[in-house]
Amino acid sequence: MDVDVVVIGAGAIGLAVAAHLCLRQRVLVLERHHTYGLENSSHNSGVIHAGIYYPPGWLKTTLCLEGNRLLYQWAQAYGVPYRRLGKLIVAWEEDELPQLEALLRGAQANGVPDLYLLYPSEVAQLQPGLRVAGAIYSGSSGIVDQMAFMRSLLAEAQSHGALMAFHHEVVALRRGVDGFVVVYRGPEGEEGELPCRFLVNCAGLWADRVGAMLGYEPEGGPYNPPFRHCLNRGTYFDVVNREVASQVRCLLYPLPHSDRAGLGVHVTIDTEGQIHLGPDAQWVSPGEPIDFRNRGEGLERFLEAGRRFFPHLRPQDLAPGQVGYRPKLNRPGEPPCDFLIWEDRGYVHLGGIESPGLTASLAIARYVSRLLGVES
Ligand SMILES: Cc1cc2nc3c(=O)[nH]c(=O)nc-3n(C[C@H](O)[C@H](O)[C@H](O)COP(=O)(O)OP(=O)(O)OC[C@H]3O[C@@H](n4cnc5c(N)ncnc54)[C@H](O)[C@@H]3O)c2cc1C
């Protein structure tokens, strides 16, 4: 099989990269599961972020802003369900207002469009019953159907000749004469080898393990920055009381706090109209197995967070929802990190692709293409 590029991983990032690179290169995607998008790309809030939270100059900022625009255009063009329903970031108390205003100034300086500072009465008009000291309204925030988005990427990539090998796990990598040799394990446990010129590591949570297969040092070395992931679990509860759920008009977020690994438990709507509360943020101990099941732990914490938005929320109004894992480059207690996307002689490493990775996916694909010199 003759291919130019091997993409490892068929999540939103790998599929977006494949759909973009296949316009100029022969692309093969290797995915260890039997189909695409079974890990993080299907276990998230499905929010199209505006790019509000990140420092100027970060990839998270620039790729989120560009990705936001590209994702709306893509969803429109390919018939992917989406809604530009807007988002409120609320200050519950007056002493949070300076932080709210600072967040607004930072976002405006980053070039985030369609932002407004709202008085409590304006918030109550937009989201009846919500009592706050003030809020930012972001008009470019929205939601997308993640699975439909990935389906459209897959179809687009395949229609331009990209090949998909599901049930193929990359187990070893080495540099070859003119590129790389990829060693994979197929569906029957058989191993095979495949040469390629470019290698793009979109293995999500496992990108650090895949990078180490090429001899790069996860803690940092002469040829690479540190890329070891530290996982952080995000759990959701679904709001199953229809009366409560029917009150929600837009995405509802608290102010982010620097001591949290996520954005704080928030309220999201999916494209089918279901309401979700979460995710929380729990660090995973080294060696603790990845488990996408929700066993219903932490209900009290979710009730407390949820009652800020819905004061009459009862335990029976919530049911355990999905679970996702953030591949973080910072450790507990350390400040957050940017996406880590670096290139070395035809290898592109995508590390720490946590939120807003889904939003940024189409922009990340273009960035990877530029890093490889496939487009200017
Ligand atoms: C709780 C939570 C909420 C989030 N909410 C949002 C949000 O609202 N908006 C937003 O923009 N982003 C959000 N994100 C971030 C977003 O989900 C991720 O950035 C994005 O899904 C990452 O996609 P990916 O393709 O890198 O990873 P994945 O979807 O995990 O895909 C990686 C793929 O690589 C495969 N793989 C791994 N190792 C190998 C191997 N050796 N061989 C072959 N295949 C391999 C895996 O099987 C997997 O399919 C959220 C994340 C979390 C955890």
Side-chain angles (χ1 to χ4, degrees):
M1 189 188 309
D2 281 343
V3 295
D4 303 310
V5 187
V6 166
V7 175
I8 304 171
I13 307 296
L15 292 172
V17 167
H20 192 68
L21 291 184
C22 70
L23 301 175
R24 295 172 182 82
Q25 304 282 320
R26 292 166 301 173
V27 176
L28 168 69
V29 180
L30 294 175
E31 166 56 54
R32 62 187 178 152
H33 292 303
H34 70 279
T35 188
Y36 60 93
L38 289 186
E39 297 202 357
N40 258 352
S41 298
S42 53
H43 294 81
N44 57 53
S45 302
V47 171
I48 304 179
H49 285 294
I52 292 171
Y53 300 101
Y54 318 105
W58 273 27
L59 288 176
K60 280 184 179 174
T61 307
T62 54
L63 297 177
C64 182
L65 269 163
E66 184 188 352
N68 172 293
R69 186 175 47 78
L70 293 174
L71 185 46
Y72 280 121
Q73 283 170 3
W74 180 284
Q76 175 75 31
Y78 290 86
V80 175
Y82 75 97
R83 282 175 67 196
R84 194 191 288 260
L85 44 67
K87 156 174 165 175
L88 285 170
I89 304 172
V90 303
W92 296 114
E93 311 296 341
E94 291 209 346
D95 62 5
E96 289 180 313
L97 288 176
Q99 195 199 336
L100 190 78
E101 285 161 19
L103 186 66
L104 177 71
R105 281 195 300 276
Q108 285 170 331
N110 281 343
V112 178
D114 217 0
L115 292 171
Y116 308 91
L117 196 59
L118 301 187
Y119 292 119
S121 58
E122 295 169 313
V123 175
Q125 269 183 355
L126 209 67
Q127 179 57 56
L130 193 61
R131 289 168 192 273
V132 298
I136 296 170
Y137 178 74
S138 158
S140 66
S141 301
I143 51 171
V144 66
D145 179 335
Q146 311 94 317
M147 289 313 287
F149 172 51
M150 286 190 279
R151 226 170 9 255
S152 69
L153 289 169
L154 176 71
E156 182 65 9
Q158 287 178 319
S159 76
H160 287 96
L163 302 169
M164 300 286 151
F166 295 119
H167 250 314
H168 280 69
E169 178 172 9
V170 173
V171 291
L173 296 167
R174 61 177 189 273
R175 286 197 179 264
V177 187
D178 190 20
F180 304 88
V181 176
V182 178
V183 184
Y184 59 83
R185 188 177 300 127
E188 312 299 334
E190 76 286 6
E191 286 199 0
E193 292 194 350
L194 184 82
C196 63
R197 194 165 151 229
F198 299 122
L199 192 58
V200 188
N201 176 355
C202 302
L205 300 175
W206 317 99
D208 53 350
R209 296 191 188 183
V210 170
M213 289 178 193
L214 264 181
Y216 293 114
E217 295 172 33
E219 311 305 338
Y223 303 105
N224 65 272
F227 60 79
R228 172 89 67 205
H229 285 161
C230 191
L231 301 189
N232 185 284
R233 192 170 197 260
T235 301
Y236 295 79
F237 275 76
D238 298 337
V239 179
V240 292
N241 179 321
R242 283 188 180 203
E243 200 184 318
V244 177
S246 67
Q247 297 166 16
V248 181
R249 302 277 178 272
C250 62
L251 303 164
L252 303 171
Y253 282 61
L255 269 172
H257 282 282
S258 53
D259 57 342
R260 288 193 201 124
L263 294 177
V265 168
H266 47 263
V267 179
T268 57
I269 312 176
D270 65 30
T271 50
E272 288 167 358
Q274 304 297 317
I275 307 295
H276 310 280
L277 201 55
D280 67 354
Q282 306 281 331
W283 289 100
V284 175
S285 314
E288 194 180 322
I290 300 284
D291 185 354
F292 284 97
R293 288 170 299 180
N294 183 342
R295 299 175 194 279
E297 288 153 11
L299 176 65
E300 279 306 319
R301 273 188 293 113
F302 280 86
L303 266 178
E304 194 186 325
R307 281 183 181 141
R308 298 302 309 252
F309 297 100
F310 315 112
H312 304 297
L313 198 68
R314 302 163 306 167
Q316 61 268 37
D317 297 332
L318 296 180
Q322 62 175 343
V323 169
Y325 285 88
R326 305 173 180 92
K328 291 205 166 279
L329 293 164
N330 53 310
R331 303 288 170 265
E334 291 178 359
C337 291
D338 196 3
F339 292 151
L340 177 67
I341 308 180
W342 52 273
E343 190 267 346
D344 178 28
R345 293 165 292 149
Y347 168 75
V348 178
H349 184 98
L350 291 105
I353 309 295
E354 52 174 328
S355 189
L358 181 71
T359 307
S361 54
L362 294 168
I364 289 175
R366 292 182 176 197
Y367 186 73
V368 167
S369 177
R370 287 197 296 275
L371 281 180
L372 289 175
V374 172
E375 69 182 89
S376 54

